Amino acid sequence: MVEPTITRIALAPSNDVPNNPELPVVLYKGAFDSGGPDETCAMLKANGWTGTWVYTVFPYHHYHPDAHEALAVASGSARLQLGGPGGRTVAVEAGDALVLPAGTGHCRVAQSEDFRICGAYPPGQEGYSTRRKGEMQAGDRAAIAGVPLPETDPILGMAGPLRGIWRNLH
């Protein structure tokens, strides 16, 4: 088992992107040995996260008001901006992952040609909505606050740090 470096990233709300005032983004550096997209998605599924897909991150600021999202880097590398315009930019590469709490703005700034991620959601949150920066709706902040916490860590399962980090804040 790989021992990742875990970083918590708190993001303040803005007028364009709500972010999540209660829960930080959790960044896992060097969390797993990537065998490519199929193996990466299988890891997320084995840890109880569903609705997997393989793609990249949209090149525009967006967020999901009704779902937490795991992004596991299956191949390549990228720079992602979290929190909306003026937010924090992070560099990720194969074997890294992020868990974005509902409402967290994210956008691809740059990527290698082979950059692919596997995305996944806690059970019941696969039917998520996507809002672009500036498309916030009246009920989004309440929806974000009401999204249930996941039962498992998408990267490290029941023993992973996500449940402890988020439950201790909630």
Side-chain angles (χ1 to χ4, degrees):
M1 185 58 128
V2 178
E3 188 65 35
T5 300
I6 306 294
T7 303
R8 299 168 193 170
I9 302 170
L11 299 165
S14 74
N15 290 333
D16 290 328
V17 177
N19 292 311
N20 193 308
E22 299 294 324
L23 304 173
V25 170
V26 179
L27 171 63
Y28 304 69
K29 295 292 286 178
F32 60 96
D33 293 322
S34 178
D38 291 343
E39 190 175 293
T40 301
C41 286
M43 171 192 64
L44 295 173
K45 290 177 189 174
N47 289 325
W49 286 54
T50 59
T52 60
W53 50 266
V54 176
Y55 193 55
T56 182
V57 175
F58 294 136
Y60 52 83
H61 296 280
H62 66 285
Y63 66 94
H64 311 294
D66 46 8
H68 303 302
E69 182 174 47
L71 301 175
V73 183
S75 63
S77 61
R79 285 187 309 118
L80 307 176
Q81 188 170 38
L82 306 176
R88 181 164 172 184
T89 301
V90 297
V92 294
E93 62 187 10
D96 295 344
L98 299 124
V99 180
L100 307 176
T104 300
H106 49 296
C107 171
R108 182 186 77 231
V109 175
Q111 72 173 45
S112 63
E113 191 172 310
D114 61 341
F115 178 65
R116 291 292 175 270
I117 57 170
C118 181
Y121 310 87
Q125 296 178 25
E126 307 89 343
Y128 58 90
S129 303
T130 300
R131 305 256 198 278
R132 289 182 185 230
K133 169 189 71 106
E135 293 180 345
M136 196 173 347
Q137 296 181 7
D140 282 357
R141 291 188 198 277
I144 290 163
V147 175
L149 295 178
E151 291 300 316
T152 61
D153 184 300
I155 310 306
L156 301 171
M158 291 301 288
L162 181 68
R163 289 169 35 101
I165 291 169
W166 282 6
R167 278 176 173 40
N168 289 335
L169 297 173
H170 225 253

